Amino acid sequence: MTTDIIILCTENSADVALELGLVYAMMQTSTHILGLPPEASQSSNLAFFRELGGELHDTDLTTLLTLYPSAQILRL
């Protein structure tokens, strides 16, 4: 069973969050990024992340943990 990964992103960590998200997505881990700033939408890594099944969320962490209760959280 694979564990879900939730990456909590800040405005200053968008590039690192996407690169880390790519690594987990390539390992076929269900990967979610929370809080990615709008300017990151131009990143080529974002398209690849989504292509690999990664998901972006703009909700709060509590709601996301309701959907993925056993997720590991990475704070950047």
Side-chain angles (χ1 to χ4, degrees):
M1 180 172 113
T2 37
T3 301
D4 291 282
I5 301 290
I6 298 173
I7 300 172
L8 296 179
C9 178
T10 63
E11 192 171 317
N12 297 330
S13 66
D15 291 334
V16 173
L18 281 172
E19 289 173 9
L20 191 56
L22 278 173
V23 170
Y24 279 108
M26 283 190 272
M27 294 184 334
Q28 299 180 349
T29 301
S30 180
T31 307
H32 312 272
I33 296 178
L34 179 62
L36 195 68
E39 56 270 9
S41 66
Q42 302 301 316
S43 172
S44 60
N45 282 342
L46 178 58
F48 192 37
F49 174 72
R50 285 184 165 163
E51 192 175 306
L52 291 171
E55 297 181 46
L56 298 179
H57 300 275
D58 61 356
T59 185
D60 60 278
L61 181 58
T62 303
T63 302
L64 205 53
L65 285 172
T66 301
L67 297 170
Y68 309 103
S70 62
Q72 292 183 2
I73 301 170
L74 302 174
R75 297 178 192 265
L76 301 180

